[in-house]
Amino acid sequence: MAVFTRVSEADIAAWLSNYSLGTLIELQGIPAGIENTNYFVTTSNGRFVLTLFEKLTSDDLPFFLNLMAHLARHGIPCPCPVADKQNHFLGKLNDKPACIVSRLSGKSVTQPNTAQCAAVGAMLGQMHSAGQSFGDQMLNPRGSSWRAEAANKVKRFLPAQDAALLESEVALHAANPLNGLPRGIIHADLFRDNVLMDGEHVGGLIDFYFACTGNLLYDVAITVNDWCMTPEGKLDATHTRAMLNAYHAARPFTAREAEAWPMALRVAALRFWISRLYDLYLPREGEMVHPHNPEQFKRILQNHIATPQPAWL
Amino acid sequence: MAVFTRVSEADIAAWLSNYSLGTLIELQGIPAGIENTNYFVTTSNGRFVLTLFEKLTSDDLPFFLNLMAHLARHGIPCPCPVADKQNHFLGKLNDKPACIVSRLSGKSVTQPNTAQCAAVGAMLGQMHSAGQSFGDQMLNPRGSSWRAEAANKVKRFLPAQDAALLESEVALHAANPLNGLPRGIIHADLFRDNVLMDGEHVGGLIDFYFACTGNLLYDVAITVNDWCMTPEGKLDATHTRAMLNAYHAARPFTAREAEAWPMALRVAALRFWISRLYDLYLPREGEMVHPHNPEQFKRILQNHIATPQPAWL
């Protein structure tokens, strides 16, 4: 349940009076999501989503809200923040930073088909292209130093073999950062549950709160590692090829990126193995969700190490 | 037929390569519209409208495009310009200034019902509210001096009685401008064909190319004069009351506005009587459309003079 802060119809009606969105028709809590409180808000102007930020602060939020507005301005289907009468995206509701964004059509899929993998690859390429003209920067909060620090904290919970794998991978990627690759805005969390599919079209990319500046290739690797993975933690060749071909059509890999692809897949798998270990063994106080099993990403990492994957150029 | 400049699939495909909108799926000319060339453009990202400006120049256009972007940013359903890879809304296609905007749902209605009149009144109020934080200004190109000049040119085509009515009304409103009323961004042409209705909801306000800075009351009068009018040129009381009540709920008239309402209805009717006379008797060279009959607006004006209307406060 992801309504951490309750919002009444009276609360939202009063809040909406500072917007040009008309009158409230319906308010409905959204059970999904683990970081924020979300409600569907239908007004006489249309369908929106209200978000109350439970952890992110008013200092962090302008980057994310301005990024979503920028991408929407370039025709990327993503939640577009609505400005209030003072022309601000960010407000405050029930003592939490809050904003209201456009609601997109579609729903997330758990078992994407080849066409859907291709559509997501193409849209990721468009998003990277549109992000090139975004002026702000954000350090990756899950980058090399976070990996080292978090791995250090969780390794004591692991069997010796896993701890050794974790340490050696962290050290390997720290010593061999993927420098000199095309950089820009990356979503950094484009898993299946963060894409709304409308049949075989992408209805929306959502949840930009891990977005940051980074290697575009790393973002592709994160996406492929989720969308194109078999239950055994191996890449499905047909799905991977479809996603990468569609991505290449929007933004072709450079030769250096094609070469770096196997390492990008490894470091992307490592990042999620670590965060899932962390969420499992060191949950934050008051955490309300069941953590994902870290084993899947350990398997993915092991498979990427055993069998380096081609970039299908 | 409103495709004045032909655009081929190759033209648009090349043009789209400077956007992050994916690949072209379909291109289809739009027959409606009298000022610009319009095409529906479907890409892998979604549904858009391409406009080539046949008369407006690159000097005029930023005001209109920035205005639409501002209103969309505030949640008003209006065409939202898409920025290209250089972050610009305005491009050039086949030697014409051109832009691509989001495509809205719904279609225009010719015989609106009471609920639709209310929905349009509410949305006009929201648009006026959202426009208050827009920074740019634009003089009304169809204001007092235009009325005097245009009336002067067309009066020689009219029977003496009509010419006398025209002259006296132009003089009356020149001598009694509606000063001291709330001002802001006005659409200035919100006729039935410029609103897309989605059942009883407003799917979109379109065609902002007469938008300017002016009295908000005048915009309401223009809208009522079209939406709530009977074929005899009299206001339908039920429709008018519904539209005004819904508008008042979003932005209540001031006492001074309520008092000025009958004169606002007259000057709004006068403006369209004059432009229709002008289009009929002094068509621009190469004009491709059948002009509207000016008689309807003469009748409306005469009826407003004979029976001043209440503002239903």
Side-chain angles (χ1 to χ4, degrees):
Chain A
M1 173 58 175
V3 172
F4 305 107
T5 303
R6 220 181 82 76
V7 176
S8 71
E9 295 206 355
D11 293 334
I12 183 76
W15 199 67
L16 282 175
S17 69
N18 195 33
Y19 288 77
S20 306
L21 290 175
T23 48
L24 180 67
I25 294 174
E26 199 189 357
L27 176 70
Q28 188 192 342
I30 305 176
I34 60 170
E35 299 267 340
N36 306 313
T37 292
N38 290 300
Y39 281 87
F40 289 133
V41 176
T42 306
T43 78
S44 47
N45 281 35
R47 288 152 34 104
F48 303 91
V49 175
L50 171 74
T51 300
L52 277 68
F53 298 98
E54 302 290 342
K55 289 168 197 153
L56 289 167
T57 69
S58 305
D59 288 343
D60 306 322
L61 285 164
F63 172 83
F64 302 114
L65 300 184
N66 290 334
L67 172 61
M68 291 188 280
H70 175 90
L71 295 176
R73 172 185 162 100
H74 286 259
I76 304 297
C78 69
C80 185
V82 176
D84 67 16
K85 290 183 179 173
Q86 288 75 47
N87 220 359
H88 298 144
F89 290 144
L90 195 60
K92 199 152 215 173
L93 182 56
N94 294 355
D95 270 334
K96 301 281 164 66
C99 74
I100 189 160
V101 302
S102 58
R103 180 172 166 187
L104 302 158
S105 60
K107 55 185 181 179
S108 58
V109 297
T110 50
Q111 299 196 299
N113 60 31
T114 308
Q116 290 171 326
C117 288
V120 169
M123 190 60 80
L124 182 61
Q126 298 303 337
M127 193 205 85
H128 287 168
S129 146
Q132 292 294 307
S133 54
F134 186 61
D136 294 358
Q137 306 239 334
M138 171 71 78
L139 275 177
N140 183 357
R142 297 285 179 273
S144 180
S145 17
W146 171 85
R147 288 196 302 266
E149 198 179 321
N152 208 35
K153 285 186 188 162
V154 296
K155 68 183 181 195
R156 67 190 165 98
F157 300 104
L158 302 184
Q161 209 173 1
D162 289 2
L165 173 64
L166 187 64
E167 280 196 305
S168 71
E169 279 294 300
V170 166
L172 173 75
H173 295 290
N176 301 281
L178 297 173
N179 288 337
L181 301 181
R183 290 171 64 80
I185 289 294
I186 64 175
H187 182 284
D189 195 27
L190 201 61
F191 281 50
R192 286 160 292 171
D193 54 352
N194 286 334
V195 178
L196 304 179
M197 295 301 305
D198 211 349
E200 294 185 347
H201 291 278
V202 175
L205 310 180
I206 61 172
D207 204 348
F208 279 79
Y209 302 106
F210 279 109
C212 57
T213 314
N215 286 329
L216 304 180
L217 188 72
Y218 174 65
D219 213 13
V220 183
I222 289 173
T223 310
V224 163
N225 268 347
D226 181 68
W227 281 81
C228 306
M229 203 52 71
T230 66
E232 297 75 40
K234 294 185 174 171
L235 286 181
D236 175 290
T238 307
H239 286 185
T240 307
R241 196 189 289 239
M243 181 171 276
L244 289 181
N245 279 345
Y247 183 86
H248 294 159
R251 189 194 75 83
F253 278 6
T254 64
R256 174 83 188 85
E257 282 180 307
E259 190 189 320
W261 179 239
M263 289 299 272
L265 286 170
R266 273 167 77 162
V267 71
L270 177 64
R271 174 255 181 267
F272 286 96
W273 185 31
I274 297 174
S275 64
R276 291 186 174 188
L277 288 170
Y278 200 100
D279 291 343
L280 180 65
Y281 294 116
L282 299 162
R284 286 166 295 190
E285 214 177 320
E287 197 89 77
M288 292 194 193
V289 284
H290 295 292
H292 293 283
N293 183 356
E295 284 302 299
Q296 166 77 346
F297 270 101
K298 184 183 81 180
R299 254 196 314 271
I300 293 172
L301 176 60
Q302 287 171 324
N303 289 330
H304 283 327
I305 294 170
T307 317
Q309 295 292 312
W312 300 113
L313 276 189
Chain B
M1 173 60 175
V3 173
F4 305 107
T5 303
R6 220 181 81 77
V7 176
S8 71
E9 294 206 356
D11 294 334
I12 182 77
W15 199 68
L16 282 175
S17 68
N18 195 32
Y19 288 79
S20 305
L21 290 175
T23 48
L24 180 67
I25 293 174
E26 198 190 357
L27 176 70
Q28 187 193 343
I30 305 177
I34 59 171
E35 300 266 339
N36 306 313
T37 291
N38 291 300
Y39 281 87
F40 289 133
V41 176
T42 307
T43 78
S44 48
N45 281 35
R47 289 152 32 104
F48 303 91
V49 175
L50 171 74
T51 299
L52 277 68
F53 298 98
E54 302 289 341
K55 290 167 197 156
L56 289 167
T57 70
S58 304
D59 289 343
D60 306 322
L61 284 164
F63 172 84
F64 302 114
L65 300 183
N66 291 333
L67 172 60
M68 290 188 281
H70 176 90
L71 294 177
R73 173 186 161 100
H74 286 259
I76 304 298
C78 69
C80 184
V82 176
D84 67 15
K85 289 182 179 174
Q86 287 75 47
N87 221 359
H88 298 145
F89 290 144
L90 195 61
K92 198 152 215 173
L93 182 57
N94 295 356
D95 270 333
K96 301 280 163 67
C99 74
I100 190 162
V101 301
S102 57
R103 179 172 167 188
L104 302 158
S105 60
K107 55 183 183 183
S108 59
V109 296
T110 50
Q111 299 197 296
N113 60 32
T114 308
Q116 290 170 327
C117 289
V120 170
M123 190 60 81
L124 183 60
Q126 299 301 336
M127 194 205 84
H128 287 168
S129 146
Q132 291 294 308
S133 54
F134 186 61
D136 294 359
Q137 306 239 332
M138 172 70 78
L139 274 178
N140 183 357
R142 297 287 180 271
S144 180
S145 14
W146 171 84
R147 287 196 303 265
E149 198 178 322
N152 207 36
K153 285 186 189 161
V154 297
K155 68 182 180 196
R156 65 189 166 98
F157 300 104
L158 303 184
Q161 210 173 359
D162 288 2
L165 173 64
L166 187 63
E167 281 197 304
S168 71
E169 279 294 301
V170 165
L172 173 75
H173 294 290
N176 301 280
L178 296 173
N179 289 337
L181 301 181
R183 290 171 65 79
I185 289 295
I186 64 175
H187 182 285
D189 194 26
L190 201 62
F191 281 49
R192 284 160 293 171
D193 53 352
N194 286 334
V195 177
L196 304 179
M197 296 299 307
D198 211 349
E200 294 187 347
H201 291 278
V202 175
L205 309 180
I206 62 172
D207 204 348
F208 279 80
Y209 301 107
F210 279 110
C212 57
T213 315
N215 286 329
L216 304 180
L217 188 72
Y218 175 65
D219 213 12
V220 183
I222 289 173
T223 310
V224 163
N225 268 347
D226 181 67
W227 282 82
C228 307
M229 202 52 70
T230 66
E232 298 74 40
K234 295 185 175 172
L235 287 181
D236 176 289
T238 308
H239 287 184
T240 308
R241 196 190 288 239
M243 181 171 274
L244 290 180
N245 278 345
Y247 182 87
H248 294 158
R251 188 194 74 84
F253 279 5
T254 63
R256 174 82 186 87
E257 283 179 306
E259 190 190 321
W261 180 239
M263 288 298 272
L265 287 170
R266 274 167 76 163
V267 72
L270 176 65
R271 175 252 179 270
F272 287 96
W273 185 31
I274 296 175
S275 64
R276 290 185 174 189
L277 288 169
Y278 200 99
D279 292 344
L280 180 66
Y281 293 117
L282 299 162
R284 286 166 297 190
E285 212 176 320
E287 196 89 75
M288 293 195 193
V289 284
H290 296 291
H292 293 285
N293 183 355
E295 284 301 300
Q296 166 78 347
F297 270 103
K298 184 182 83 180
R299 254 197 312 271
I300 293 172
L301 177 59
Q302 288 171 323
N303 289 329
H304 282 328
I305 295 170
T307 316
Q309 295 292 313
W312 300 113
L313 277 189

